Structures are given as structure tokens and as C-alpha cells.
Amino acid sequence: MVTERNWAGNYGYRAPRIAHPASMAELQDLVAGAGKVSALGSRHSFNDIADTPGTLVVLDMLDVGISVDTQNMTVTVSGGTRYGTLAAELQRRGFALHNLASLPHISVAGAVATATHGSGDGNGNLATAVVALELVTADGTVVTARRGDADFAGMVVGLGALGIVSRLTLDIEPSFDVAQTVFEGLGWEQILESFDALTPSAYSLSLFTDWSGPTAGQAWLKNRTDQAVLPGGLPEFFSGAPATEARHPLPGVSGSNCTQQLGVPGPWSDRLAHFRMEFTPSKGEELQSEYLIPREHAVEALRTMRSLSGMVTPLLLIGEIRTIAADQLWLSPNYGRDGIGLHFTWRQDEPAVKAILPLLEAELAPFSARPHWGKLFHGTEASLAPLYPRFSDFTALAGRLDPAGKFRNAFLDRTVFGR
Ligand SMILES: Cc1cc2nc3c(=O)[nH]c(=O)nc-3n(C[C@H](O)[C@H](O)[C@H](O)COP(=O)(O)OP(=O)(O)OC[C@H]3O[C@@H](n4cnc5c(N)ncnc54)[C@H](O)[C@@H]3O)c2cc1C
């Protein structure tokens, strides 16, 4: 048994072996010869999604460098590259990604595999930037797929079920600056009355709340200076006031671990995430869940969440509301629908969190809530399959690429394959 645990420490991988292949040939031999195998990214998921009863494969030794193609405006990286490393290098060379998650510490392949997202009405999740990928499949064969190829849209958000992604090519754009401003004390009444006016107020907007009381906690507005929607220096925003010092999403925690705020413009790579690469993101001692809801149900879902405050708030460190644009990636929780993300950073009390999740999911079911694949949720294949129009196409694709189920694990059996 390996001794590795996930980032939050709530899950200990049960795999008996862990391998760090240093070349493609080594990776291919390893996969071809393995009985069961799974890719492990930077271990930031909160569940057993990356585990295997065989060999865990970590790509930290398989460095293919970071190569920018200025003609096609793309960058190619190893699956194990972390967003923080990639963002710093792109910025140094004058380029940008369209968005980042709340933290830069996660691996590109691991984030893409679970449709990890940031925020912004016009921003697809991080997987939508994938132009091409290279995959080592069950028999050790290297398969490549590009946007537009048959099955490509099924391969990107792959949940580790299709093979080991060795290389990814992502869209890039010219570097841009972002100014981040935090407002505090936004009124729930104003938010619910004008939600459709609120979220386009920034390139990326996050609302942090514990769902209790008449005001939501904080709004983090990240505006591109080349397309600022909201003029800086606003005295008031949805009846909230601008913070006068750096804030952390968690009440009472110092803002010094967070990216620069107070409207000071700076590179996208230092502003689009909430947390800085050099520090522990969020709290560390926590659990997380998240549900993606279609935009047309947003206000009703927010009202429902407020009504559930008595159940949810005591277990919460903080909640976050973000927006994500629709995509066409088969198992993306944003497939076919613009939406909002209702995120929960829970206290690290797993039995209590696991007890609340079925109740929460029952309340959010009328909104066709799809859970974040990398966080804690209760649903299984029976409840998830009807939520995804291309679900059976995905299982068929997995059957073709991995007929013996080498990459399947308990998580995939429970949530995707239904056994
Ligand atoms: C503090 C914190 C903040 C977070 N913030 C956000 C956020 O803002 N937005 C959001 O959407 N999510 C967020 N998450 C969730 C996180 O982004 C996802 O769980 C993501 O999948 C983690 O990536 P990872 O590299 O750690 O992958 P892991 O957890 O190691 O693995 C996740 C999945 O990816 C697969 N995988 C990894 N590498 C490969 C590969 N090379 N080839 C094939 N499959 C692979 C694994 O097999 C597994 O299925 C956060 C998590 C934490 C701990």
C-alpha cells in the first residue's frame, strides 16, 4: 500500500504501487504491462477518483517542457505540469490562458480530466481550452486527438477512465492585465432581484457567502483592463462597499495568501486565481463539494440555498458562487448549458458532510444539478447518467479504448459504469 494521501488528507490512496515514469517509452511499457493503473495528478481531488487497485502513475518526471506555437496561438505541456508553472512561463513570454481555477497548484491533466473551472459568464471551464491531447491507452499505444476529431469531445473530460494523458495543447491569447476588487456586504435582496446584471459586471466574478443573514459576504471582481466592464473606484456595488484591505474568502483569515486586490492592475497570471502559488490555498483543513446548475434556475437555486442555511451554514467554512459558460465536452458538468457553480468549503468533518450531501442533492435535483467530479458528492451512475445527454457515448468510448477496464476503479464503477 502506498502512503500517499490527497491534498486535504481525507483520502488515503489504496494502490499498492506508485510509479514516476521518466520517458514515454517507460510510460507505455508500464501501462501495457499493468493489470490496473490510474493517473494521479497533484492530488487535489477530495474523493477516490484517482485511485486504483494497481499502479498509480505520476507524471512529475515526464517533463516535455512548455512549447508555445505563436502561429496557432497554442501551448503544449506535459499532463503533469501545474497551472502555476505554466502561467508564469506564459506571462514571461507575453501570453495568457483564458482563465484559472481558484488555485494555481493543480496539474493541467488532472484539472482538465474533472472539468475544473474558474468564473466568468463568457468563460468556459479549463477543459474548453484543450485543442489537442496525447493519451497512452490500455495496451500502451499512444493516441492523439484534436478538436473536431470524432470522439475528441468525449476524451477531454476523461475522469482518468480512458488512459494517461501525457501531453495537452491549449489555446492561448496575448497576455492581459487584471484588476481585482473585493466588495463586502452585498444585499441578498439586490442580488436576487438583479442576478443577470450582477454576474456580467466582471470578466470573472465570485460571490462568497455562508448563506445566512440578509447580506452575502464578499464579491470578488476580476476585470480585464483591456475590457473593463465596471469602472474602478465604485463607492457601492449591489449595496456592498469596497474592502479597504486585502481579504481572504474565509472570514478572519489574512488576505496575504491571496492574489493582489484593491483594484491594483497586474498580470492575469497573478490575479485570475484567488490563491498565490507560494502559499497553502484556501484553509487546508477542509472538504469541498460543488454543484453546477443551469443558468435559468440560478435565482431559484440561490433562494433554495438560503432557505437551507439552517442545515448548511453550521458545517460550512464558506460557500462560493461562480458562473461558467456552456461547452460541448460530453462529461463536463457545463455540457450544453451556461450555468452557475454552487461551491461548498466544508469543515473537515467527513461523516457530517457525507450525511448532509444526500439531503442537499435532493434539494438541488429539481435544478438538474451536476456534481463536480473531483469533490465530494453522493450521486451514483443511476442519478448521474440521466443528467448527461452523451453519457452512454462516453461509456462506449471507454469500452473501446479500455476494453478490459484497466483504468476503472471504485469511483468510476460507482459513478459512471454503474457496477
Ligand atoms: C484548495 C482547492 C481548491 C480548488 N479549487 C477549485 C476551483 O476553483 N475550481 C474547480 O473546478 N475545482 C477546484 N478544485 C478541485 C480540483 O481542481 C480538481 O479536483 C482537480 O481534478 C484536481 O487536479 P489534480 O491534478 O490534483 O488531479 P487529481 O486529484 O490527482 O486527479 C483527478 C482526476 O484526474 C485524473 N488525472 C490526473 N492526471 C491525469 C493524466 N495525466 N491523465 C489522465 N487523467 C489524469 C485522475 O486519474 C483523476 O481521475 C479545488 C481543489 C482544492 C484542493
Side-chain angles (χ1 to χ4, degrees), residues 323-385:
T323 61
I324 307 100
D327 62 55
Q328 291 301 315
L329 304 173
W330 298 354
L331 284 199
S332 161
N334 315 107
Y335 178 88
R337 57 196 216 189
D338 291 334
I340 62 166
L342 299 179
H343 164 85
F344 304 82
T345 301
W346 305 108
R347 296 179 192 285
Q348 205 169 48
D349 179 348
E350 196 155 346
V353 170
K354 287 197 163 156
I356 226 178
L357 291 179
L359 308 174
L360 189 54
E361 289 178 20
E363 294 285 346
L364 296 178
F367 310 122
S368 305
R370 295 171 177 160
H372 190 305
W373 293 107
K375 303 184 182 180
L376 292 178
F377 61 93
H378 173 74
T380 60
E381 181 268 347
S383 60
L384 297 173

Side-chain angles (χ1 to χ4, degrees), residues 7-8 13 38-46 49-50 59 79-80 101-103 106-118 135 159-161 163-166 275 281-282 286 288 290 320 322 343 372 374-375:
W7 173 85
Y13 298 99
S38 181
L40 181 64
S42 55
R43 298 178 290 117
H44 283 80
S45 293
F46 290 84
I49 187 171
L59 298 186
S102 70
L103 75 176
I106 47 178
S107 80
V108 175
V112 163
T114 63
T116 287
H117 61 91
L135 190 70
L159 311 182
I164 310 247
V165 175
S166 41
F275 304 109
S282 197
E286 66 189 58
Q288 296 186 9
E290 188 167 25
E320 183 177 6
R322 288 177 279 188
H343 164 85
H372 190 305
K375 303 184 182 180

